[in-house]
Every structure is written in structure tokens, then in C-alpha cells.
Amino acid sequence: MMLEPILFVVRLVLSIFAFLFLMRFVLQAVHADFYNPISSAIVRFTNPVLRVVRQVLPTYRNLDLASFGATLIAYTLADLTGIFSRGEIATIDWWTLIRVELYQTFDLLVSIFLFAIFILIALSWLVQFGIIHGSRSPATTLLNQICEPLLRPAKKLLPSVGMIDLSPMITIVILWIIQRWLLPGLLL
């Protein structure tokens, strides 16, 4: 069918938007430096849509509810395009759809933190073994800013073990528990 490639592209674009909106939510939640070139690119790209959504969903403390809401909207539109293409619009259970969209959004949120921690670990090893020199790139700075609020409580709990930082392992285990058991149990 000729419509399938178009629907694939629409779903892909909406999923990319969902990721960018959620990254904007994360950046504001962790108080990331918005002068960082990566942060400012995300802000410039998402601002036109978020200005409209912010009229309905204001910011609460450091949580950008408009970005979170825009992520939910993008995921909902992506899933609705699939439902419409299959002709299942009459059988939509809206409560289930909302729960699935919330699950997808929180799952992506946890995945963003997991990937950021894994990349930060890999970069620290590359610097430690002299494969790359220095770690002051805008991407590394942004990764540190994203990961630090999650790693800080684990660093306080664990004693110092020389040059080895065990806080990422504890944080990864907790995030996996949230992603694999808590989120599905609550939302699916």
C-alpha cells in the first residue's frame, strides 16, 4: 500500500519531536546550561510549539509541563496515525491510549537517563585510558549536567573506593527497576 511509507515517516517525525520535547523537559528539570550549543539548539527547535502549549500548561518550579505535555501529544498523534490507518478508530479505548502514552513518555524519560549514564561511563574510561584527551566538550558537559542530579544521592550513600565511582551502577539498577517493573505495573 502506498500509504504505509508516508505513515512511517509521519510516525518517525512525531517520535523525533517527542524525544526533543522530552529532552527539553529534562534539561530544564536538571537546570542544564542553556548556553550550551546542544541545549540552545533543542530550545530553538522546540520553542515555536512550546510557546503555544505553554499557554495551557505552565511551568511548575523547574518542571516544564509544556514540554512533557507536548511529548504526550506527539506520542498520541503518532499512535493515532497508526490506528486511523488500520481503520480502528471506532474501537479506541481512550483510557488505555492515555495510559500507553504516559508509559511511553516515562519509559523514554528513564531511557534518556540510562543512555546518558552509560555514555558518561564510556567517556570517562576513554579519558582514563588516554584514548581521548580531555572531556570538556559541550556534549560531555551536558551529559554531566543531566546525570549529576541522579548520581548525587548514590554518591552520598556509597563510600569512596579510590578512583572507582560505584554510584552509576546503583543508579542504573534503580532506573532499570523503575523501567522494567514499576512503570509497566503502574501504567499498563
Side-chain angles (χ1 to χ4, degrees), residues 140-157:
T140 307
T141 303
L142 189 61
L143 283 170
N144 279 319
Q145 291 172 347
I146 290 172
C147 295
E148 187 57 32
L150 289 177
L151 297 176
R152 192 176 311 125
K155 285 180 182 179
K156 288 180 182 176
L157 288 175

PDB file of all heavy atoms in Angstrom, residues 140-157:
ATOM      1  N   THR A 140      29.857  16.491  26.570  1.00  0.00           N
ATOM      2  CA  THR A 140      30.259  15.921  27.857  1.00  0.00           C
ATOM      3  C   THR A 140      29.745  16.774  29.007  1.00  0.00           C
ATOM      4  O   THR A 140      29.267  16.242  30.017  1.00  0.00           O
ATOM      5  CB  THR A 140      31.789  15.791  27.930  1.00  0.00           C
ATOM      6  OG1 THR A 140      32.246  15.067  26.794  1.00  0.00           O
ATOM      7  CG2 THR A 140      32.225  15.092  29.186  1.00  0.00           C
ATOM      8  N   THR A 141      29.834  18.074  28.857  1.00  0.00           N
ATOM      9  CA  THR A 141      29.323  18.972  29.892  1.00  0.00           C
ATOM     10  C   THR A 141      27.824  18.768  30.089  1.00  0.00           C
ATOM     11  O   THR A 141      27.338  18.679  31.220  1.00  0.00           O
ATOM     12  CB  THR A 141      29.610  20.436  29.507  1.00  0.00           C
ATOM     13  OG1 THR A 141      31.009  20.597  29.299  1.00  0.00           O
ATOM     14  CG2 THR A 141      29.131  21.394  30.577  1.00  0.00           C
ATOM     15  N   LEU A 142      27.105  18.641  28.981  1.00  0.00           N
ATOM     16  CA  LEU A 142      25.662  18.428  29.065  1.00  0.00           C
ATOM     17  C   LEU A 142      25.341  17.075  29.701  1.00  0.00           C
ATOM     18  O   LEU A 142      24.440  16.973  30.530  1.00  0.00           O
ATOM     19  CB  LEU A 142      25.041  18.524  27.670  1.00  0.00           C
ATOM     20  CG  LEU A 142      23.527  18.543  27.609  1.00  0.00           C
ATOM     21  CD1 LEU A 142      22.968  19.747  28.365  1.00  0.00           C
ATOM     22  CD2 LEU A 142      23.063  18.560  26.174  1.00  0.00           C
ATOM     23  N   LEU A 143      26.090  16.036  29.346  1.00  0.00           N
ATOM     24  CA  LEU A 143      25.884  14.721  29.959  1.00  0.00           C
ATOM     25  C   LEU A 143      26.113  14.779  31.468  1.00  0.00           C
ATOM     26  O   LEU A 143      25.353  14.184  32.236  1.00  0.00           O
ATOM     27  CB  LEU A 143      26.808  13.683  29.333  1.00  0.00           C
ATOM     28  CG  LEU A 143      26.404  13.175  27.957  1.00  0.00           C
ATOM     29  CD1 LEU A 143      27.534  12.332  27.358  1.00  0.00           C
ATOM     30  CD2 LEU A 143      25.127  12.375  28.038  1.00  0.00           C
ATOM     31  N   ASN A 144      27.155  15.473  31.887  1.00  0.00           N
ATOM     32  CA  ASN A 144      27.408  15.630  33.328  1.00  0.00           C
ATOM     33  C   ASN A 144      26.254  16.338  34.016  1.00  0.00           C
ATOM     34  O   ASN A 144      25.846  15.955  35.115  1.00  0.00           O
ATOM     35  CB  ASN A 144      28.705  16.401  33.563  1.00  0.00           C
ATOM     36  CG  ASN A 144      29.918  15.518  33.439  1.00  0.00           C
ATOM     37  OD1 ASN A 144      29.920  14.389  33.899  1.00  0.00           O
ATOM     38  ND2 ASN A 144      30.956  16.033  32.795  1.00  0.00           N
ATOM     39  N   GLN A 145      25.720  17.376  33.376  1.00  0.00           N
ATOM     40  CA  GLN A 145      24.618  18.120  33.971  1.00  0.00           C
ATOM     41  C   GLN A 145      23.347  17.285  34.044  1.00  0.00           C
ATOM     42  O   GLN A 145      22.566  17.431  34.975  1.00  0.00           O
ATOM     43  CB  GLN A 145      24.357  19.398  33.174  1.00  0.00           C
ATOM     44  CG  GLN A 145      25.456  20.414  33.313  1.00  0.00           C
ATOM     45  CD  GLN A 145      25.281  21.592  32.374  1.00  0.00           C
ATOM     46  OE1 GLN A 145      24.481  21.561  31.442  1.00  0.00           O
ATOM     47  NE2 GLN A 145      26.046  22.649  32.622  1.00  0.00           N
ATOM     48  N   ILE A 146      23.131  16.409  33.071  1.00  0.00           N
ATOM     49  CA  ILE A 146      21.946  15.550  33.084  1.00  0.00           C
ATOM     50  C   ILE A 146      22.080  14.458  34.136  1.00  0.00           C
ATOM     51  O   ILE A 146      21.134  14.150  34.862  1.00  0.00           O
ATOM     52  CB  ILE A 146      21.709  14.939  31.680  1.00  0.00           C
ATOM     53  CG1 ILE A 146      21.249  16.031  30.712  1.00  0.00           C
ATOM     54  CG2 ILE A 146      20.694  13.806  31.737  1.00  0.00           C
ATOM     55  CD1 ILE A 146      21.182  15.580  29.273  1.00  0.00           C
ATOM     56  N   CYS A 147      23.264  13.875  34.251  1.00  0.00           N
ATOM     57  CA  CYS A 147      23.464  12.723  35.140  1.00  0.00           C
ATOM     58  C   CYS A 147      23.669  13.094  36.597  1.00  0.00           C
ATOM     59  O   CYS A 147      23.298  12.333  37.491  1.00  0.00           O
ATOM     60  CB  CYS A 147      24.656  11.899  34.665  1.00  0.00           C
ATOM     61  SG  CYS A 147      24.398  11.134  33.065  1.00  0.00           S
ATOM     62  N   GLU A 148      24.258  14.221  36.863  1.00  0.00           N
ATOM     63  CA  GLU A 148      24.646  14.567  38.236  1.00  0.00           C
ATOM     64  C   GLU A 148      23.494  14.546  39.234  1.00  0.00           C
ATOM     65  O   GLU A 148      23.651  14.010  40.338  1.00  0.00           O
ATOM     66  CB  GLU A 148      25.364  15.916  38.264  1.00  0.00           C
ATOM     67  CG  GLU A 148      25.938  16.270  39.605  1.00  0.00           C
ATOM     68  CD  GLU A 148      26.912  15.230  40.154  1.00  0.00           C
ATOM     69  OE1 GLU A 148      27.618  14.572  39.362  1.00  0.00           O
ATOM     70  OE2 GLU A 148      26.961  15.063  41.390  1.00  0.00           O
ATOM     71  N   PRO A 149      22.320  15.095  38.917  1.00  0.00           N
ATOM     72  CA  PRO A 149      21.230  15.038  39.915  1.00  0.00           C
ATOM     73  C   PRO A 149      20.802  13.613  40.270  1.00  0.00           C
ATOM     74  O   PRO A 149      20.341  13.368  41.386  1.00  0.00           O
ATOM     75  CB  PRO A 149      20.080  15.792  39.237  1.00  0.00           C
ATOM     76  CG  PRO A 149      20.737  16.672  38.241  1.00  0.00           C
ATOM     77  CD  PRO A 149      21.945  15.933  37.771  1.00  0.00           C
ATOM     78  N   LEU A 150      20.961  12.677  39.351  1.00  0.00           N
ATOM     79  CA  LEU A 150      20.615  11.284  39.647  1.00  0.00           C
ATOM     80  C   LEU A 150      21.738  10.564  40.384  1.00  0.00           C
ATOM     81  O   LEU A 150      21.485   9.685  41.208  1.00  0.00           O
ATOM     82  CB  LEU A 150      20.310  10.524  38.354  1.00  0.00           C
ATOM     83  CG  LEU A 150      19.017  10.892  37.654  1.00  0.00           C
ATOM     84  CD1 LEU A 150      18.885  10.129  36.360  1.00  0.00           C
ATOM     85  CD2 LEU A 150      17.833  10.630  38.539  1.00  0.00           C
ATOM     86  N   LEU A 151      22.969  10.907  40.062  1.00  0.00           N
ATOM     87  CA  LEU A 151      24.111  10.224  40.674  1.00  0.00           C
ATOM     88  C   LEU A 151      24.429  10.747  42.075  1.00  0.00           C
ATOM     89  O   LEU A 151      25.002  10.022  42.892  1.00  0.00           O
ATOM     90  CB  LEU A 151      25.343  10.360  39.778  1.00  0.00           C
ATOM     91  CG  LEU A 151      25.246   9.720  38.391  1.00  0.00           C
ATOM     92  CD1 LEU A 151      26.494  10.019  37.585  1.00  0.00           C
ATOM     93  CD2 LEU A 151      25.022   8.226  38.498  1.00  0.00           C
ATOM     94  N   ARG A 152      24.069  11.982  42.354  1.00  0.00           N
ATOM     95  CA  ARG A 152      24.419  12.606  43.637  1.00  0.00           C
ATOM     96  C   ARG A 152      23.928  11.818  44.857  1.00  0.00           C
ATOM     97  O   ARG A 152      24.703  11.578  45.789  1.00  0.00           O
ATOM     98  CB  ARG A 152      23.900  14.041  43.670  1.00  0.00           C
ATOM     99  CG  ARG A 152      24.441  14.852  44.820  1.00  0.00           C
ATOM    100  CD  ARG A 152      23.981  16.306  44.790  1.00  0.00           C
ATOM    101  NE  ARG A 152      24.177  16.907  43.493  1.00  0.00           N
ATOM    102  CZ  ARG A 152      23.204  17.490  42.783  1.00  0.00           C
ATOM    103  NH1 ARG A 152      21.977  17.551  43.252  1.00  0.00           N
ATOM    104  NH2 ARG A 152      23.455  18.031  41.613  1.00  0.00           N
ATOM    105  N   PRO A 153      22.660  11.360  44.903  1.00  0.00           N
ATOM    106  CA  PRO A 153      22.231  10.591  46.085  1.00  0.00           C
ATOM    107  C   PRO A 153      23.011   9.287  46.265  1.00  0.00           C
ATOM    108  O   PRO A 153      23.325   8.905  47.395  1.00  0.00           O
ATOM    109  CB  PRO A 153      20.747  10.303  45.812  1.00  0.00           C
ATOM    110  CG  PRO A 153      20.321  11.328  44.838  1.00  0.00           C
ATOM    111  CD  PRO A 153      21.528  11.650  44.017  1.00  0.00           C
ATOM    112  N   ALA A 154      23.330   8.610  45.163  1.00  0.00           N
ATOM    113  CA  ALA A 154      24.102   7.368  45.270  1.00  0.00           C
ATOM    114  C   ALA A 154      25.518   7.649  45.740  1.00  0.00           C
ATOM    115  O   ALA A 154      26.099   6.855  46.483  1.00  0.00           O
ATOM    116  CB  ALA A 154      24.113   6.628  43.927  1.00  0.00           C
ATOM    117  N   LYS A 155      26.087   8.772  45.321  1.00  0.00           N
ATOM    118  CA  LYS A 155      27.439   9.135  45.756  1.00  0.00           C
ATOM    119  C   LYS A 155      27.476   9.407  47.260  1.00  0.00           C
ATOM    120  O   LYS A 155      28.461   9.116  47.928  1.00  0.00           O
ATOM    121  CB  LYS A 155      27.937  10.367  44.995  1.00  0.00           C
ATOM    122  CG  LYS A 155      28.335  10.083  43.579  1.00  0.00           C
ATOM    123  CD  LYS A 155      28.825  11.335  42.879  1.00  0.00           C
ATOM    124  CE  LYS A 155      29.162  11.030  41.442  1.00  0.00           C
ATOM    125  NZ  LYS A 155      29.609  12.212  40.705  1.00  0.00           N
ATOM    126  N   LYS A 156      26.382   9.954  47.795  1.00  0.00           N
ATOM    127  CA  LYS A 156      26.322  10.222  49.232  1.00  0.00           C
ATOM    128  C   LYS A 156      26.209   8.926  50.033  1.00  0.00           C
ATOM    129  O   LYS A 156      26.727   8.831  51.134  1.00  0.00           O
ATOM    130  CB  LYS A 156      25.140  11.134  49.551  1.00  0.00           C
ATOM    131  CG  LYS A 156      25.327  12.557  49.096  1.00  0.00           C
ATOM    132  CD  LYS A 156      24.125  13.396  49.444  1.00  0.00           C
ATOM    133  CE  LYS A 156      24.298  14.807  48.949  1.00  0.00           C
ATOM    134  NZ  LYS A 156      23.101  15.631  49.188  1.00  0.00           N
ATOM    135  N   LEU A 157      25.519   7.929  49.465  1.00  0.00           N
ATOM    136  CA  LEU A 157      25.322   6.655  50.174  1.00  0.00           C
ATOM    137  C   LEU A 157      26.552   5.762  50.161  1.00  0.00           C
ATOM    138  O   LEU A 157      26.819   5.064  51.129  1.00  0.00           O
ATOM    139  CB  LEU A 157      24.148   5.886  49.564  1.00  0.00           C
ATOM    140  CG  LEU A 157      22.767   6.440  49.826  1.00  0.00           C
ATOM    141  CD1 LEU A 157      21.729   5.646  49.058  1.00  0.00           C
ATOM    142  CD2 LEU A 157      22.452   6.407  51.309  1.00  0.00           C
TER     143      LEU A 157
END
